[in-house]
Amino acid sequence: MALNGIDISSWQSGINLAVVPCDFVVIKATEGINYVNPDYMRAYEQAKAAGKCLGIYHYANGGNIQAEADYFLGNVGNRLGEAMLVLDWETGNNSSFGNCDYAWCKSWLDYAYSKTGVHPILYCSQSISYKFDNIGNYGLWIAQYADDDPTGYQDVPWNEGEYTCAIRQYTSCGRLSGYAGNLDLDKFYGSKEDWGKYAVSDKTNVVVPEQPETPKPATASPEGSILDLAYKTMLGEFGNGEDRIRNLGTRYEEVQNLINHIWATSTSNLAQEVLSGRYGNGDVRKTVLGSRYLAVQDQVNVGSAQYYTVQNGDTLSNIASKYGTTYQKIAQLNGMSNPNLIYVGQKLRIK
């Protein structure tokens, strides 16, 4: 007995899970400690209404283990008990990948189990799956592709039977009716009843609350610019998951879209937006940009540098006076041991 299914993230935002053929759907919920997939709850509710087996995954950034687990579980909320929980362990954005794979994942899985009584699944590529031998009562979801050719569901994926796993992801170029783009296709080695066993808690003292029909919006949405609200969100004033949706009310989508944009866009694009004034200054900029701040600020500093080419008769002092700085600062920026020694045609950084 086996089930065919897909896993999705914000790349598939808006996918109609009521029409795409699949027995199960695993949806990205969170990444690190400050990203929530903006399509997560919509996709989840649609898949649930369509009677699909459900899974929710956290994309690890390899940071503080407890913080990442708590962030994920906070966004799982009252879906605990009806959805399989998954830890996604990949190299992208993951500072611990290749350094402490087993220790990090084992600690995260154990902590999540201690909080919920649910044994999460661990997703990884086949090339590193050996690192997780004897990791405990946690199923493996292994990714291994034969090629990048478009394909539909496969009864016998390439390398079938060469290793044991709970789920096999065998392509990222899947093509199914009802969706025009590529999809990750997966095979679960079990029945719907077997899937459900991964979702339920084995701790009698864990209370799983009922799933509400929809999160209730706040009666009044907070005032302020998107930047102001994003700053307060990053400080934790509006909470996470359904609390954030409720507290931000009608402002949620625009604020969350900005946070997701900061997380996903390139450093060079963020640097240009900083120079345009989009993210303010000081603590506001540092807080809103979060873990991207240092890399972006480095690029901003380089991009805002000013240079001057020395002309006949110039001295460092008169150049400094012309640009509102000091000759000592120019000497420091250019690594000059003798500020009196400059030459015509020399390119100096002045700011």
Side-chain angles (χ1 to χ4, degrees), residues 209-232:
E210 293 182 1
Q211 177 78 7
E213 294 183 2
T214 56
K216 295 182 179 179
T219 54
S221 298
E223 296 181 354
S225 69
I226 297 176
L227 180 61
D228 291 336
L229 296 179
Y231 173 62
K232 292 177 180 178

Side-chain angles (χ1 to χ4, degrees), residues 40-68:
Y40 155 50
M41 281 180 279
R42 182 210 66 83
Y44 186 94
E45 291 303 322
Q46 188 180 63
K48 180 181 177 182
K52 312 296 185 183
C53 293
L54 300 165
I56 305 172
Y57 77 88
H58 173 75
Y59 189 103
N61 279 173
N64 182 283
I65 293 167
Q66 183 173 329
E68 289 205 28

Side-chain angles (χ1 to χ4, degrees), residues 21 38 47 158 164 187 217 225 297 326:
W158 176 64
T164 301
K187 179 179 180 179
S225 69
Q297 197 61 44
T326 65

Side-chain angles (χ1 to χ4, degrees), residues 10 28-38 71 256 260 263:
S10 61
K28 180 176 181 177
T30 56
E31 179 172 341
I33 57 172
N34 60 9
Y35 173 84
V36 177
N37 173 10
Y71 187 70
Q256 192 62 49
N260 294 340
W263 187 254

Side-chain angles (χ1 to χ4, degrees), residues 146-191:
D147 50 48
D148 293 324
D149 296 338
T151 181
Y153 288 126
Q154 298 177 10
D155 291 332
V156 185
W158 176 64
N159 253 4
E160 177 87 344
E162 291 298 310
Y163 42 81
T164 301
C165 57
I167 308 177
R168 167 74 188 279
Q169 183 188 85
Y170 51 87
T171 184
S172 61
C173 299
R175 299 296 176 86
L176 299 176
S177 62
Y179 186 73
N182 286 331
L183 290 166
D184 293 340
L185 300 187
D186 306 280
K187 179 179 180 179
F188 174 71
Y189 296 92
S191 64

